Amino acid sequence: QVQLVESGGGLVQPGGSLSLSCAASGSTSSFDVMVWYRQPPGKQREQVAKIRSGGSTNYQDSVKDRFTISRDDAKNTMSLQMNNLKPEDTAVYYCYAGRSLGYRYLEVWGQGTLVTVSS
């Protein structure tokens, strides 16, 4: 039913910027929370940034002053603006969305988009 598709990944130089987008389709329902995760090569998946329906946000310490998460519920999209990128930001970035249905919690994952930071 619900699908999430990430886009905007690519190759950038250290210090550069990149904007990721996550688009939801197949449903008109809003999500309680949307999260960006990432998985660096050879490492475990980690949470990068989170935004709730009320607008509150949380960031991983390593990206706190460089990344900005936002959502546009009218367009069913979520974005991650990444500035001053570092080689250690290289990873596959995943979009996650969650919503309470009362009897269960709906969780949806995207397939990921690759971000490579290299000179």
Side-chain angles (χ1 to χ4, degrees):
Q1 51 172 355
V2 179
Q3 296 185 80
L4 300 177
V5 180
E6 302 94 338
S7 62
L11 175 64
V12 296
Q13 295 183 330
S17 298
L18 202 62
S19 181
L20 304 182
S21 180
C22 173
S25 64
S27 176
T28 59
S29 299
S30 61
F31 296 99
D32 298 316
V33 61
M34 301 186 75
V35 188
W36 282 104
Y37 287 82
R38 69 184 182 186
Q39 186 167 19
K43 299 182 179 180
Q44 293 184 310
R45 188 174 299 184
E46 61 186 16
Q47 186 179 109
V48 178
K50 176 171 64 180
I51 184 168
R52 296 189 176 277
S53 60
S56 62
T57 59
N58 291 98
Y59 295 93
Q60 182 189 102
D61 288 341
S62 65
V63 309
K64 187 176 181 179
D65 297 321
R66 301 183 295 119
F67 292 8
T68 302
I69 188 172
S70 62
R71 60 190 290 172
D72 186 339
D73 292 335
K75 298 181 178 180
N76 294 318
T77 59
M78 176 180 67
S79 299
L80 183 68
Q81 178 64 47
M82 305 184 293
N83 298 323
N84 191 26
L85 285 162
K86 304 176 180 180
E88 48 264 45
D89 293 318
T90 296
V92 176
Y93 284 71
Y94 297 91
C95 178
Y96 165 93
R99 184 194 180 197
S100 175
L101 301 179
Y103 57 93
R104 71 183 182 95
Y105 203 85
L106 175 66
E107 297 179 294
V108 188
W109 288 88
Q111 294 301 306
T113 184
L114 177 63
V115 173
T116 302
V117 184
S118 178
S119 59

